[in-house]
Amino acid sequence: MSHVSIGHIEAAIKKVDTLDESALDRLSEAQTTAQPILLGYVMSAAQEYNNPELESLLIYYFTIVLESFAQAGLHPKTVTDEQIDDFEEPYFQLLDEYFEKEEDQVLEDFADQPDLVKFMAMEIGMEDADGVSLDDETATQLFIVILAMISLLSRSLD
């Protein structure tokens, strides 16, 4: 299986962070068109967790993760509701195992995109450019949702 590398992630961040508003809107529209169900699934987390702060973070990392796949030349098929339904039970079991043992390798193996998992783990623990860091609850929620997204995309590759 092909993997997204740190270089692909860095290229995605550079691209997304340097786009003007119009170009960012076009990228976002293309990604939304390509993965509408996945976007709905990811964005529903802000409501389910009742955490409005999570919404803008999810949009940003949704864009970064999809662009990272594109930078790697990987084009996942559109994620379906059926894939999400089949995914959720094993994913929740994985999370239970992870929070019990706290072994990062379990997450990396499950998602089959180790560099993206490591990237997200680093991102949730770092301060942003303004010196602000996420509270533990928001960081955990963001990580859980984006890890699910990464896993679903990885499973959707040809």
Side-chain angles (χ1 to χ4, degrees):
M1 161 140 333
S2 298
H3 292 100
V4 173
S5 71
I6 295 296
H8 299 128
I9 298 164
E10 289 171 348
I13 292 168
K14 183 177 181 182
K15 177 179 177 177
V16 170
D17 287 353
T18 59
L19 291 175
D20 64 28
E21 193 170 328
S22 175
L24 190 55
D25 286 345
R26 286 192 303 277
L27 177 62
S28 180
E29 186 176 323
Q31 290 178 339
T32 300
T33 301
Q35 294 292 347
I37 293 168
L38 183 59
L39 176 63
Y41 177 69
V42 167
M43 294 310 296
S44 70
Q47 291 176 326
E48 288 178 25
Y49 286 125
N50 194 24
N51 185 345
E53 180 185 357
L54 192 57
E55 191 171 313
S56 62
L57 294 166
L58 291 171
I59 291 169
Y60 178 75
Y61 286 105
F62 181 87
T63 304
I64 293 295
V65 168
L66 280 174
E67 184 58 31
S68 295
F69 273 85
Q71 291 289 325
L74 303 174
H75 306 285
K77 294 177 186 169
T78 301
V79 173
T80 65
D81 285 322
E82 293 79 20
Q83 285 175 295
I84 292 170
D85 291 343
D86 292 344
F87 168 81
E88 284 189 323
E89 186 175 328
Y91 183 58
F92 293 137
Q93 289 173 352
L94 166 85
L95 291 175
D96 288 342
E97 179 183 343
Y98 171 73
F99 286 118
E100 186 177 299
K101 298 179 182 176
E102 294 191 26
E103 293 177 4
D104 292 343
Q105 190 64 44
V106 173
L107 300 178
E108 293 169 17
D109 291 345
F110 185 83
D112 197 33
Q113 291 294 336
D115 286 345
L116 274 170
V117 173
K118 289 174 188 168
F119 163 72
M120 283 309 302
M122 287 186 331
E123 284 289 296
I124 64 169
M126 292 176 47
E127 293 180 348
D128 67 12
D130 299 325
V132 177
S133 57
L134 297 175
D135 62 80
D136 288 344
E137 186 175 340
T138 300
T140 300
Q141 293 166 353
L142 177 63
F143 186 75
I144 288 170
V145 175
I146 299 301
L147 179 63
M149 177 189 170
I150 293 166
S151 300
L152 285 162
L153 288 170
S154 186
R155 287 165 171 70
S156 297
L157 293 171
D158 289 330

